[in-house]
């Protein structure tokens, strides 16, 4: 008759080993049965789970986030392109008509706060729009 | 058959159908981890969604140095644990992490009649364990990760994982032993 302690029984069940019942003491037999019952139950899947359309919903959300990220990237690119184009045109004009360019720079200087306000407003509207879309998608 | 390398490459190339396939493949794994740490049903789904959004965002950093399932389980564990810690402050039934001081509620297992009830009782016992023990038990028994993989997922040393497993099982065995004895009579 062999007496097994808790550690030995747990190890045996982990390795899915078995030992003839008759070789164990009564105490070990009871212990083994209790552990076996526990192991079987621990391996049982939970009764509840995720909804059947979970993968579709997540994919839709991720796709929306990807599109938003791409839109944001493009709006930054477009802003940069406009600024670069404006600087390029101004530089090009300066080569041929210095007077007109200096007049343009003076006008820009005069209305710099208005221009800045318009640019910042456009960016804020864009971000607010994206924030609201994201919030709506989360509901 | 699910080819993780091919699926990951397709997702990185922008294929959303491949991503849906990945979600289908690992949603159970993620749910098992999240389920043990979070009680609220709606929160469980939200956290699972958050996990997959993180997976999509960080997939480019996955270098195939470990199994994809281990990497996903780690993200699930960290996301769930963050959520658990955030909501822990509002909960009254917070338990000590030291299992030596741990006592289950006074439910009497002798009153349990059917196997189904016992399964529910064991589930209840697991939910009363400190969060680290719950995680280890779930990752080992339900997700079938090895102790070494659990170390990779949770960051706990392998020895600690083994010790948590042993102590949690022993504690639960002592509780259900009463039921089994009464059943045999």
């Amino acid at each position: 008759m062999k007496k097994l302690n808790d550690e030995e029984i747990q190890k045996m069940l982990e390795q899915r080993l078995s030992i003839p019942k008759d070789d164990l003491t009564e105490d070990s037999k009871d212990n083994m049965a209790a552990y076996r019952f526990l192991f079987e139950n621990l391996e049982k899947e939970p009764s509840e789970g995720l909804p059947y359309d979970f993968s579709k919903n997540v994919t839709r959300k991720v796709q929306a986030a990807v599109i938003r990220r791409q839109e944001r990237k493009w709006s930054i690119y477009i802003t940069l392109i406009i600024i670069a184009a404006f600087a390029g045109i101004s530089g090009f004009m300066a080569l041929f008509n210095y007077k007109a360019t200096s007049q343009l720079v003076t006008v820009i200087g005069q209305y710099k706060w208005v221009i800045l306000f318009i640019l910042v407003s456009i960016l804020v509207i864009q971000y607010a729009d994206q924030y609201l879309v994201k919030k709506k998608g989360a509901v | 058959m699910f080819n993780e390398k091919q699926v990951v490459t397709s997702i990185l190339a922008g294929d959303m159908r491949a991503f849906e396939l990945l979600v289908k493949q690992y949603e159970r794994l993620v749910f098992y981890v999240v389920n043990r740490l979070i009680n609220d049903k709606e929160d469980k789904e939200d956290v699972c969604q958050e996990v997959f959004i993180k997976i999509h965002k960080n997939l480019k950093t996955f270098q195939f140095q470990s199994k994809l399932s281990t990497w996903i389980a780690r993200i699930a564990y960290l996301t769930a644990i963050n959520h658990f810690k955030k909501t822990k402050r509002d909960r009254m039934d917070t338990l000590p992490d030291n299992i030596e001081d741990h006592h289950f509620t006074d439910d009497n297992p002798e009153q349990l009649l059917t196997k189904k009830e016992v399964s529910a009782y064991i589930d209840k016992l697991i939910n009363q364990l400190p969060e680290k023990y719950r995680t280890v038990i779930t990752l080992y028994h339900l997700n079938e990760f090895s102790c070494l993989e659990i170390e990779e997922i949770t960051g706990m040393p392998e020895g600690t994982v083994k010790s948590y497993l042993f102590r949690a099982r022993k504690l639960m065995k002592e509780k259900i032993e009463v039921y089994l004895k009464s059943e045999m009579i």
Side-chain angles (χ1 to χ4, degrees):
Chain A
M1 290 283 191
K2 202 175 173 188
K3 186 172 166 56
L4 297 174
N5 62 27
D6 287 271
E7 207 175 337
E8 288 166 327
I9 294 173
Q10 287 198 18
K11 223 166 227 163
M12 278 187 69
L13 290 170
E14 271 180 10
Q15 293 162 1
R16 300 188 192 274
L17 300 173
S18 58
I19 191 165
K21 268 189 182 176
D22 298 337
D23 294 353
L24 295 174
T25 59
E26 279 304 309
D27 206 32
S28 296
K29 252 189 249 179
D30 290 348
N31 245 344
M32 177 74 97
Y35 270 121
R36 182 164 286 133
F37 184 77
L38 177 68
F39 270 60
E40 279 167 12
N41 276 282
L42 288 176
E43 279 156 25
K44 271 187 192 159
E45 293 183 9
S47 51
E48 51 175 2
L50 289 165
Y52 75 98
D53 56 350
F54 175 79
S55 59
K56 266 199 171 60
N57 290 338
V58 178
T59 310
R60 213 180 307 129
K61 271 196 178 171
V62 169
Q63 195 158 20
V66 169
I67 292 169
R68 270 201 308 275
R69 255 201 315 269
Q70 280 171 345
E71 279 175 354
R72 205 160 39 219
K73 215 190 270 177
W74 273 108
S75 66
I76 290 169
Y77 286 159
I78 288 168
T79 312
L80 289 175
I81 288 168
I82 290 170
I83 292 169
F86 187 75
I89 291 166
S90 306
F92 197 68
M93 271 172 68
L95 286 176
F96 298 99
N97 192 343
Y98 180 76
K99 204 177 166 191
T101 313
S102 68
Q103 272 177 343
L104 182 71
V105 171
T106 313
V107 170
I108 290 173
Q110 229 170 355
Y111 295 102
K112 61 178 181 286
W113 296 117
V114 177
I115 295 167
L116 198 70
F117 175 74
I118 291 168
L119 279 174
V120 170
S121 300
I122 291 169
L123 286 174
V124 167
I125 289 167
Q126 273 228 331
Y127 272 98
D129 180 46
Q130 280 179 4
Y131 174 76
L132 286 174
V133 168
K134 198 175 169 184
K135 213 173 165 188
K136 207 175 164 189
V139 175
Chain B
M1 218 186 110
F2 185 82
N3 182 337
E4 45 180 68
K5 240 181 189 164
Q6 203 179 329
V7 170
V8 170
T9 314
S10 302
I11 296 170
L12 291 177
D15 184 349
M16 290 312 285
R17 260 190 286 177
F19 179 69
E20 197 177 330
L21 204 69
L22 179 133
V23 178
K24 272 188 187 150
Q25 181 73 17
Y26 292 109
E27 62 182 16
R28 277 215 261 169
L29 160 79
V30 170
F31 180 74
Y32 292 164
V33 177
V34 170
N35 184 43
R36 282 278 183 249
L37 290 168
I38 294 162
N39 292 321
D40 188 79
K41 203 181 168 190
E42 273 183 30
D43 280 0
K44 282 178 195 177
E45 200 183 325
D46 287 347
V47 173
C48 286
Q49 280 200 2
E50 197 186 328
V51 170
F52 282 107
I53 291 169
K54 280 184 184 171
I55 288 168
H56 187 270
K57 211 172 167 186
N58 296 300
L59 201 60
K60 53 183 176 290
T61 64
F62 179 63
Q63 302 290 320
F64 292 97
Q65 279 163 349
S66 62
K67 283 202 290 183
L68 184 60
S69 57
T70 315
W71 185 75
I72 288 174
R74 179 160 174 76
I75 294 177
Y77 170 71
L78 293 176
T79 310
I81 214 87
N82 274 344
H83 185 277
F84 175 80
K85 279 177 183 164
K86 252 188 254 169
T87 51
K88 198 178 178 184
R89 271 174 269 136
D90 311 325
R91 283 171 37 194
M92 299 298 285
D93 60 339
T94 305
L95 294 160
D97 267 5
N98 184 3
I99 204 158
E100 308 302 343
D101 304 331
H102 182 65
H103 298 286
F104 289 115
T105 54
D106 290 322
D107 283 355
N108 186 358
E110 283 172 276
Q111 291 167 346
L112 302 166
L113 299 171
T114 63
K115 290 237 171 192
K116 204 178 166 191
E117 279 177 342
V118 181
S119 288
Y121 177 65
I122 290 174
D123 229 42
K124 207 171 167 189
L125 290 182
I126 298 172
N127 284 332
Q128 285 177 34
L129 287 169
E131 119 257 333
K132 283 177 184 166
Y133 290 77
R134 261 185 276 167
T135 307
V136 166
I137 282 279
T138 307
L139 289 172
Y140 188 88
H141 285 282
L142 215 48
N143 295 123
E144 295 178 348
F145 284 113
S146 68
C147 291
L148 210 66
E149 285 170 327
I150 298 174
E151 178 183 352
E152 216 177 299
I153 294 164
T154 59
M156 297 176 210
E158 195 188 356
T160 309
V161 171
K162 282 182 180 167
S163 147
Y164 281 2
L165 265 177
F166 173 75
R167 284 145 82 186
R169 284 172 188 153
K170 191 166 185 273
L171 214 65
M172 284 190 284
K173 189 254 334 181
E174 280 159 11
K175 285 299 276 187
I176 58 164
E177 222 168 21
V178 185
Y179 159 77
L180 286 173
K181 272 181 188 156
S182 67
E183 196 197 33
M184 278 186 265
I185 296 166

